[in-house]
Amino acid sequence: ILNVEQSPQSLHVQEGDSTNFTCSFPSSNFYALHWYRWETAKSPEALFVMTLNGDEKKKGRISATLNTKEGYSYLYIKGSQPEDSATYLCASHNAGGTSYGKLTFGQGTILTVHP
Amino acid sequence: DTGVSQDPRHKITKRGQNVTFRCDPISEHNRLYWYRQTLGQGPEFLTYFQNEAQLEKSRLLSDRFSAERPKGSFSTLEIQRTEQGDSAMYLCASSWTAAGVNEQFFGPGTRLTVL
């Protein structure tokens, strides 16, 4: 059984603050780590797909790092804006067996950015 | 809009009734996934199709659940004799085999409430 854990469960920050979340995942048979942003009433939106140990990816004010040996990933948001308010999900894709690319999700981090 | 679409967006039903949801994936995607999200949890894998073949089913998918993908295009998920515990957000995602890390694109979900 794969367990993907995210912390914190929820976070309230002020506009302009920088913040970060953690995702821990099983390192055995690791294939890829996905980050999604999910705003209320919308589809989950893919932010990053990361595969290599030491990977760092950036999209605007959001960046992510990956450590596959110890099984964790960090998501950073610099200068948070109210429009960043959403649930941030990470999901692990572990290879092997009959796992045809199914994702195992963490429970998410709910971010609220106050103006 | 060429993204993943789901219908209906919301469904309220009485316990014991049957419900059916539809997912239209991105047209060139051959893989289709169903996930379920309950309150406070991340999405959980239910089942997976490659073209029209259902290749994997989760233990979460009881005998009351059935999914089809005729002709490898749209998919339906049917729940028979609904129970209150079936209340959840049902998400559909699609991907393309040759896309390497299997980036999955999600629809907006169908929120089911069983009274």
Side-chain angles (χ1 to χ4, degrees), chain A residues 69-110:
Chain A
K69 293 183 179 179
E70 297 183 37
Y72 65 84
S73 176
Y74 294 130
L75 187 79
Y76 300 91
I77 302 178
K78 184 178 179 182
S80 302
Q81 299 296 308
E83 58 265 31
D84 296 329
S85 297
T87 297
Y88 290 82
L89 293 164
C90 73
S92 177
H93 172 189
N94 289 62
T98 58
S99 175
Y100 296 96
K102 73 180 182 186
L103 300 179
T104 302
F105 283 86
Q107 71 272 46
T109 293
I110 302 171

mmCIF file of all heavy atoms in Angstrom, chain A residues 69-110:
data_model
loop_
_atom_site.group_PDB
_atom_site.id
_atom_site.type_symbol
_atom_site.label_atom_id
_atom_site.label_comp_id
_atom_site.label_asym_id
_atom_site.label_seq_id
_atom_site.Cartn_x
_atom_site.Cartn_y
_atom_site.Cartn_z
ATOM 1 N N LYS A 69 15.402 9.840 -3.289
ATOM 2 C CA LYS A 69 16.082 8.884 -2.407
ATOM 3 C C LYS A 69 15.437 8.847 -1.032
ATOM 4 O O LYS A 69 15.304 7.780 -0.426
ATOM 5 C CB LYS A 69 17.561 9.231 -2.311
ATOM 6 C CG LYS A 69 18.304 9.027 -3.621
ATOM 7 C CD LYS A 69 19.792 9.306 -3.475
ATOM 8 C CE LYS A 69 20.507 9.057 -4.812
ATOM 9 N NZ LYS A 69 21.963 9.344 -4.725
ATOM 10 N N GLU A 70 15.041 10.027 -0.548
ATOM 11 C CA GLU A 70 14.404 10.085 0.765
ATOM 12 C C GLU A 70 12.894 10.204 0.662
ATOM 13 O O GLU A 70 12.201 10.142 1.676
ATOM 14 C CB GLU A 70 14.986 11.240 1.577
ATOM 15 C CG GLU A 70 16.464 11.059 1.852
ATOM 16 C CD GLU A 70 17.040 12.175 2.715
ATOM 17 O OE1 GLU A 70 16.339 12.648 3.627
ATOM 18 O OE2 GLU A 70 18.193 12.576 2.459
ATOM 19 N N GLY A 71 12.382 10.384 -0.522
ATOM 20 C CA GLY A 71 10.934 10.359 -0.746
ATOM 21 C C GLY A 71 10.207 11.604 -0.300
ATOM 22 O O GLY A 71 9.216 11.512 0.453
ATOM 23 N N TYR A 72 10.666 12.775 -0.746
ATOM 24 C CA TYR A 72 9.908 13.985 -0.441
ATOM 25 C C TYR A 72 10.057 15.001 -1.562
ATOM 26 O O TYR A 72 11.016 14.987 -2.333
ATOM 27 C CB TYR A 72 10.282 14.585 0.912
ATOM 28 C CG TYR A 72 11.689 15.104 1.016
ATOM 29 C CD1 TYR A 72 12.017 16.382 0.566
ATOM 30 C CD2 TYR A 72 12.698 14.337 1.580
ATOM 31 C CE1 TYR A 72 13.302 16.872 0.665
ATOM 32 C CE2 TYR A 72 13.986 14.809 1.688
ATOM 33 C CZ TYR A 72 14.292 16.072 1.227
ATOM 34 O OH TYR A 72 15.571 16.543 1.323
ATOM 35 N N SER A 73 9.058 15.890 -1.615
ATOM 36 C CA SER A 73 9.041 17.001 -2.565
ATOM 37 C C SER A 73 8.506 18.231 -1.843
ATOM 38 O O SER A 73 7.622 18.113 -0.987
ATOM 39 C CB SER A 73 8.145 16.674 -3.766
ATOM 40 O OG SER A 73 8.041 17.780 -4.643
ATOM 41 N N TYR A 74 9.073 19.385 -2.170
ATOM 42 C CA TYR A 74 8.590 20.640 -1.625
ATOM 43 C C TYR A 74 7.998 21.486 -2.741
ATOM 44 O O TYR A 74 8.538 21.533 -3.851
ATOM 45 C CB TYR A 74 9.721 21.438 -0.977
ATOM 46 C CG TYR A 74 10.329 20.818 0.246
ATOM 47 C CD1 TYR A 74 11.720 20.685 0.357
ATOM 48 C CD2 TYR A 74 9.551 20.379 1.299
ATOM 49 C CE1 TYR A 74 12.296 20.122 1.476
ATOM 50 C CE2 TYR A 74 10.118 19.811 2.422
ATOM 51 C CZ TYR A 74 11.490 19.688 2.507
ATOM 52 O OH TYR A 74 12.064 19.133 3.627
ATOM 53 N N LEU A 75 6.904 22.169 -2.436
ATOM 54 C CA LEU A 75 6.321 23.157 -3.352
ATOM 55 C C LEU A 75 6.442 24.521 -2.683
ATOM 56 O O LEU A 75 6.055 24.670 -1.528
ATOM 57 C CB LEU A 75 4.849 22.831 -3.646
ATOM 58 C CG LEU A 75 4.196 23.706 -4.710
ATOM 59 C CD1 LEU A 75 4.615 23.235 -6.097
ATOM 60 C CD2 LEU A 75 2.678 23.672 -4.606
ATOM 61 N N TYR A 76 6.988 25.476 -3.414
ATOM 62 C CA TYR A 76 7.186 26.823 -2.870
ATOM 63 C C TYR A 76 6.339 27.818 -3.658
ATOM 64 O O TYR A 76 6.261 27.736 -4.886
ATOM 65 C CB TYR A 76 8.649 27.256 -3.004
ATOM 66 C CG TYR A 76 9.645 26.373 -2.303
ATOM 67 C CD1 TYR A 76 10.237 25.313 -2.974
ATOM 68 C CD2 TYR A 76 10.023 26.631 -0.986
ATOM 69 C CE1 TYR A 76 11.171 24.505 -2.334
ATOM 70 C CE2 TYR A 76 10.960 25.830 -0.337
ATOM 71 C CZ TYR A 76 11.523 24.767 -1.026
ATOM 72 O OH TYR A 76 12.444 23.965 -0.395
ATOM 73 N N ILE A 77 5.730 28.753 -2.961
ATOM 74 C CA ILE A 77 5.045 29.867 -3.613
ATOM 75 C C ILE A 77 5.651 31.150 -3.062
ATOM 76 O O ILE A 77 5.629 31.396 -1.851
ATOM 77 C CB ILE A 77 3.524 29.853 -3.370
ATOM 78 C CG1 ILE A 77 2.923 28.541 -3.861
ATOM 79 C CG2 ILE A 77 2.869 31.039 -4.086
ATOM 80 C CD1 ILE A 77 1.424 28.416 -3.627
ATOM 81 N N LYS A 78 6.181 31.956 -3.970
ATOM 82 C CA LYS A 78 6.831 33.205 -3.574
ATOM 83 C C LYS A 78 5.842 34.359 -3.733
ATOM 84 O O LYS A 78 5.185 34.459 -4.767
ATOM 85 C CB LYS A 78 8.052 33.440 -4.461
ATOM 86 C CG LYS A 78 8.890 34.657 -4.105
ATOM 87 C CD LYS A 78 10.099 34.742 -5.022
ATOM 88 C CE LYS A 78 10.929 35.970 -4.707
ATOM 89 N NZ LYS A 78 12.095 36.094 -5.623
ATOM 90 N N GLY A 79 5.720 35.210 -2.716
ATOM 91 C CA GLY A 79 4.832 36.361 -2.822
ATOM 92 C C GLY A 79 3.390 35.951 -3.106
ATOM 93 O O GLY A 79 2.816 36.318 -4.128
ATOM 94 N N SER A 80 2.789 35.189 -2.199
ATOM 95 C CA SER A 80 1.444 34.638 -2.411
ATOM 96 C C SER A 80 0.439 35.738 -2.756
ATOM 97 O O SER A 80 0.472 36.834 -2.200
ATOM 98 C CB SER A 80 0.984 33.911 -1.150
ATOM 99 O OG SER A 80 1.878 32.878 -0.802
ATOM 100 N N GLN A 81 -0.472 35.405 -3.663
ATOM 101 C CA GLN A 81 -1.550 36.285 -4.071
ATOM 102 C C GLN A 81 -2.885 35.608 -3.758
ATOM 103 O O GLN A 81 -2.948 34.369 -3.718
ATOM 104 C CB GLN A 81 -1.459 36.583 -5.563
ATOM 105 C CG GLN A 81 -0.171 37.277 -5.971
ATOM 106 C CD GLN A 81 -0.052 38.651 -5.346
ATOM 107 O OE1 GLN A 81 -0.956 39.476 -5.443
ATOM 108 N NE2 GLN A 81 1.082 38.906 -4.693
ATOM 109 N N PRO A 82 -3.957 36.381 -3.571
ATOM 110 C CA PRO A 82 -5.261 35.761 -3.288
ATOM 111 C C PRO A 82 -5.654 34.715 -4.333
ATOM 112 O O PRO A 82 -6.287 33.711 -3.991
ATOM 113 C CB PRO A 82 -6.218 36.963 -3.281
ATOM 114 C CG PRO A 82 -5.370 38.105 -2.826
ATOM 115 C CD PRO A 82 -4.013 37.855 -3.444
ATOM 116 N N GLU A 83 -5.273 34.924 -5.590
ATOM 117 C CA GLU A 83 -5.622 33.949 -6.630
ATOM 118 C C GLU A 83 -4.858 32.626 -6.496
ATOM 119 O O GLU A 83 -5.157 31.656 -7.204
ATOM 120 C CB GLU A 83 -5.402 34.535 -8.030
ATOM 121 C CG GLU A 83 -4.002 35.012 -8.310
ATOM 122 C CD GLU A 83 -3.834 36.512 -8.062
ATOM 123 O OE1 GLU A 83 -4.526 37.062 -7.169
ATOM 124 O OE2 GLU A 83 -2.997 37.115 -8.766
ATOM 125 N N ASP A 84 -3.878 32.568 -5.597
ATOM 126 C CA ASP A 84 -3.184 31.311 -5.330
ATOM 127 C C ASP A 84 -3.992 30.420 -4.394
ATOM 128 O O ASP A 84 -3.644 29.251 -4.195
ATOM 129 C CB ASP A 84 -1.809 31.561 -4.703
ATOM 130 C CG ASP A 84 -0.851 32.295 -5.616
ATOM 131 O OD1 ASP A 84 -0.950 32.113 -6.859
ATOM 132 O OD2 ASP A 84 -0.014 33.060 -5.105
ATOM 133 N N SER A 85 -5.055 30.964 -3.813
ATOM 134 C CA SER A 85 -5.883 30.177 -2.888
ATOM 135 C C SER A 85 -6.464 28.981 -3.628
ATOM 136 O O SER A 85 -7.141 29.120 -4.651
ATOM 137 C CB SER A 85 -7.005 31.037 -2.315
ATOM 138 O OG SER A 85 -6.485 32.105 -1.553
ATOM 139 N N ALA A 86 -6.179 27.789 -3.115
ATOM 140 C CA ALA A 86 -6.594 26.545 -3.772
ATOM 141 C C ALA A 86 -6.145 25.375 -2.900
ATOM 142 O O ALA A 86 -5.463 25.569 -1.896
ATOM 143 C CB ALA A 86 -5.961 26.419 -5.163
ATOM 144 N N THR A 87 -6.535 24.183 -3.323
ATOM 145 C CA THR A 87 -5.985 22.964 -2.720
ATOM 146 C C THR A 87 -4.848 22.484 -3.598
ATOM 147 O O THR A 87 -5.000 22.369 -4.820
ATOM 148 C CB THR A 87 -7.063 21.870 -2.616
ATOM 149 O OG1 THR A 87 -8.103 22.315 -1.741
ATOM 150 C CG2 THR A 87 -6.463 20.587 -2.053
ATOM 151 N N TYR A 88 -3.715 22.217 -2.984
ATOM 152 C CA TYR A 88 -2.539 21.745 -3.716
ATOM 153 C C TYR A 88 -2.364 20.258 -3.409
ATOM 154 O O TYR A 88 -2.217 19.861 -2.256
ATOM 155 C CB TYR A 88 -1.301 22.558 -3.330
ATOM 156 C CG TYR A 88 -1.394 23.968 -3.859
ATOM 157 C CD1 TYR A 88 -2.130 24.943 -3.182
ATOM 158 C CD2 TYR A 88 -0.787 24.321 -5.067
ATOM 159 C CE1 TYR A 88 -2.259 26.221 -3.689
ATOM 160 C CE2 TYR A 88 -0.902 25.611 -5.573
ATOM 161 C CZ TYR A 88 -1.646 26.549 -4.882
ATOM 162 O OH TYR A 88 -1.770 27.824 -5.390
ATOM 163 N N LEU A 89 -2.399 19.472 -4.470
ATOM 164 C CA LEU A 89 -2.317 18.021 -4.343
ATOM 165 C C LEU A 89 -1.012 17.520 -4.919
ATOM 166 O O LEU A 89 -0.584 17.975 -5.984
ATOM 167 C CB LEU A 89 -3.462 17.350 -5.118
ATOM 168 C CG LEU A 89 -4.887 17.561 -4.615
ATOM 169 C CD1 LEU A 89 -5.883 17.162 -5.696
ATOM 170 C CD2 LEU A 89 -5.131 16.743 -3.371
ATOM 171 N N CYS A 90 -0.392 16.580 -4.235
ATOM 172 C CA CYS A 90 0.711 15.864 -4.861
ATOM 173 C C CYS A 90 0.278 14.420 -5.065
ATOM 174 O O CYS A 90 -0.602 13.910 -4.363
ATOM 175 C CB CYS A 90 1.996 15.938 -4.032
ATOM 176 S SG CYS A 90 1.990 14.947 -2.530
ATOM 177 N N ALA A 91 0.857 13.780 -6.050
ATOM 178 C CA ALA A 91 0.496 12.407 -6.381
ATOM 179 C C ALA A 91 1.729 11.663 -6.848
ATOM 180 O O ALA A 91 2.515 12.177 -7.651
ATOM 181 C CB ALA A 91 -0.582 12.377 -7.463
ATOM 182 N N SER A 92 1.869 10.447 -6.367
ATOM 183 C CA SER A 92 3.008 9.619 -6.720
ATOM 184 C C SER A 92 2.602 8.591 -7.766
ATOM 185 O O SER A 92 1.499 8.036 -7.709
ATOM 186 C CB SER A 92 3.517 8.911 -5.465
ATOM 187 O OG SER A 92 4.581 8.041 -5.782
ATOM 188 N N HIS A 93 3.470 8.392 -8.720
ATOM 189 C CA HIS A 93 3.285 7.351 -9.729
ATOM 190 C C HIS A 93 4.436 6.373 -9.532
ATOM 191 O O HIS A 93 5.589 6.712 -9.798
ATOM 192 C CB HIS A 93 3.291 7.984 -11.122
ATOM 193 C CG HIS A 93 3.308 7.003 -12.242
ATOM 194 N ND1 HIS A 93 3.504 7.390 -13.544
ATOM 195 C CD2 HIS A 93 3.144 5.657 -12.276
ATOM 196 C CE1 HIS A 93 3.471 6.322 -14.322
ATOM 197 N NE2 HIS A 93 3.263 5.270 -13.588
ATOM 198 N N ASN A 94 4.110 5.184 -9.013
ATOM 199 C CA ASN A 94 5.138 4.188 -8.779
ATOM 200 C C ASN A 94 4.983 3.070 -9.792
ATOM 201 O O ASN A 94 3.888 2.592 -10.049
ATOM 202 C CB ASN A 94 5.040 3.647 -7.345
ATOM 203 C CG ASN A 94 5.469 4.686 -6.339
ATOM 204 O OD1 ASN A 94 4.859 5.742 -6.230
ATOM 205 N ND2 ASN A 94 6.538 4.411 -5.627
ATOM 206 N N ALA A 95 6.045 2.654 -10.370
ATOM 207 C CA ALA A 95 6.027 1.683 -11.451
ATOM 208 C C ALA A 95 5.988 0.267 -10.899
ATOM 209 O O ALA A 95 6.126 0.026 -9.723
ATOM 210 C CB ALA A 95 7.269 1.866 -12.325
ATOM 211 N N GLY A 96 5.789 -0.668 -11.816
ATOM 212 C CA GLY A 96 5.835 -2.062 -11.429
ATOM 213 C C GLY A 96 4.463 -2.675 -11.307
ATOM 214 O O GLY A 96 3.463 -1.989 -11.117
ATOM 215 N N GLY A 97 4.410 -3.988 -11.423
ATOM 216 C CA GLY A 97 3.164 -4.716 -11.282
ATOM 217 C C GLY A 97 2.164 -4.301 -12.337
ATOM 218 O O GLY A 97 2.502 -4.099 -13.498
ATOM 219 N N THR A 98 0.934 -4.127 -11.921
ATOM 220 C CA THR A 98 -0.104 -3.734 -12.866
ATOM 221 C C THR A 98 -0.427 -2.265 -12.749
ATOM 222 O O THR A 98 -1.509 -1.819 -13.108
ATOM 223 C CB THR A 98 -1.387 -4.555 -12.619
ATOM 224 O OG1 THR A 98 -1.802 -4.334 -11.270
ATOM 225 C CG2 THR A 98 -1.135 -6.025 -12.877
ATOM 226 N N SER A 99 0.508 -1.495 -12.231
ATOM 227 C CA SER A 99 0.240 -0.071 -12.001
ATOM 228 C C SER A 99 0.377 0.672 -13.317
ATOM 229 O O SER A 99 1.454 1.113 -13.676
ATOM 230 C CB SER A 99 1.219 0.471 -10.968
ATOM 231 O OG SER A 99 1.049 1.855 -10.807
ATOM 232 N N TYR A 100 -0.707 0.817 -14.056
ATOM 233 C CA TYR A 100 -0.657 1.453 -15.357
ATOM 234 C C TYR A 100 -0.733 2.960 -15.256
ATOM 235 O O TYR A 100 -1.574 3.595 -15.851
ATOM 236 C CB TYR A 100 -1.800 0.944 -16.231
ATOM 237 C CG TYR A 100 -1.708 -0.530 -16.554
ATOM 238 C CD1 TYR A 100 -2.396 -1.457 -15.798
ATOM 239 C CD2 TYR A 100 -0.945 -0.971 -17.618
ATOM 240 C CE1 TYR A 100 -2.326 -2.803 -16.092
ATOM 241 C CE2 TYR A 100 -0.869 -2.312 -17.934
ATOM 242 C CZ TYR A 100 -1.563 -3.232 -17.162
ATOM 243 O OH TYR A 100 -1.502 -4.553 -17.461
ATOM 244 N N GLY A 101 0.159 3.522 -14.462
ATOM 245 C CA GLY A 101 0.179 4.971 -14.372
ATOM 246 C C GLY A 101 -0.841 5.538 -13.428
ATOM 247 O O GLY A 101 -1.067 6.737 -13.430
ATOM 248 N N LYS A 102 -1.480 4.704 -12.599
ATOM 249 C CA LYS A 102 -2.430 5.278 -11.658
ATOM 250 C C LYS A 102 -1.672 6.105 -10.635
ATOM 251 O O LYS A 102 -0.549 5.790 -10.257
ATOM 252 C CB LYS A 102 -3.250 4.189 -10.969
ATOM 253 C CG LYS A 102 -2.497 3.373 -9.947
ATOM 254 C CD LYS A 102 -3.398 2.327 -9.331
ATOM 255 C CE LYS A 102 -2.653 1.543 -8.271
ATOM 256 N NZ LYS A 102 -3.452 0.414 -7.749
ATOM 257 N N LEU A 103 -2.299 7.187 -10.228
ATOM 258 C CA LEU A 103 -1.694 8.103 -9.281
ATOM 259 C C LEU A 103 -2.219 7.834 -7.875
ATOM 260 O O LEU A 103 -3.407 7.568 -7.690
ATOM 261 C CB LEU A 103 -1.995 9.546 -9.672
ATOM 262 C CG LEU A 103 -1.492 9.980 -11.052
ATOM 263 C CD1 LEU A 103 -1.874 11.426 -11.331
ATOM 264 C CD2 LEU A 103 0.011 9.792 -11.170
ATOM 265 N N THR A 104 -1.328 7.912 -6.896
ATOM 266 C CA THR A 104 -1.712 7.832 -5.498
ATOM 267 C C THR A 104 -1.547 9.227 -4.908
ATOM 268 O O THR A 104 -0.425 9.750 -4.863
ATOM 269 C CB THR A 104 -0.838 6.832 -4.738
ATOM 270 O OG1 THR A 104 -0.956 5.549 -5.359
ATOM 271 C CG2 THR A 104 -1.274 6.723 -3.283
ATOM 272 N N PHE A 105 -2.649 9.812 -4.486
ATOM 273 C CA PHE A 105 -2.665 11.195 -4.045
ATOM 274 C C PHE A 105 -2.487 11.318 -2.536
ATOM 275 O O PHE A 105 -2.910 10.446 -1.763
ATOM 276 C CB PHE A 105 -4.003 11.854 -4.405
ATOM 277 C CG PHE A 105 -4.133 12.233 -5.848
ATOM 278 C CD1 PHE A 105 -4.584 11.312 -6.785
ATOM 279 C CD2 PHE A 105 -3.805 13.510 -6.271
ATOM 280 C CE1 PHE A 105 -4.704 11.663 -8.127
ATOM 281 C CE2 PHE A 105 -3.926 13.872 -7.603
ATOM 282 C CZ PHE A 105 -4.372 12.939 -8.526
ATOM 283 N N GLY A 106 -1.883 12.446 -2.140
ATOM 284 C CA GLY A 106 -1.948 12.863 -0.754
ATOM 285 C C GLY A 106 -3.294 13.512 -0.495
ATOM 286 O O GLY A 106 -4.112 13.682 -1.410
ATOM 287 N N GLN A 107 -3.514 13.893 0.759
ATOM 288 C CA GLN A 107 -4.820 14.450 1.120
ATOM 289 C C GLN A 107 -4.954 15.921 0.758
ATOM 290 O O GLN A 107 -6.040 16.486 0.839
ATOM 291 C CB GLN A 107 -5.107 14.247 2.620
ATOM 292 C CG GLN A 107 -4.260 15.101 3.543
ATOM 293 C CD GLN A 107 -2.942 14.449 3.911
ATOM 294 O OE1 GLN A 107 -2.233 13.908 3.056
ATOM 295 N NE2 GLN A 107 -2.599 14.503 5.186
ATOM 296 N N GLY A 108 -3.851 16.532 0.328
ATOM 297 C CA GLY A 108 -3.898 17.919 -0.118
ATOM 298 C C GLY A 108 -3.563 18.917 0.970
ATOM 299 O O GLY A 108 -3.709 18.634 2.169
ATOM 300 N N THR A 109 -3.101 20.079 0.548
ATOM 301 C CA THR A 109 -2.898 21.228 1.436
ATOM 302 C C THR A 109 -3.808 22.343 0.937
ATOM 303 O O THR A 109 -3.728 22.728 -0.241
ATOM 304 C CB THR A 109 -1.444 21.719 1.423
ATOM 305 O OG1 THR A 109 -0.601 20.735 2.009
ATOM 306 C CG2 THR A 109 -1.314 23.020 2.206
ATOM 307 N N ILE A 110 -4.688 22.815 1.811
ATOM 308 C CA ILE A 110 -5.615 23.900 1.456
ATOM 309 C C ILE A 110 -4.952 25.220 1.801
ATOM 310 O O ILE A 110 -4.681 25.493 2.971
ATOM 311 C CB ILE A 110 -6.948 23.766 2.208
ATOM 312 C CG1 ILE A 110 -7.592 22.414 1.911
ATOM 313 C CG2 ILE A 110 -7.888 24.912 1.819
ATOM 314 C CD1 ILE A 110 -8.796 22.105 2.787
#
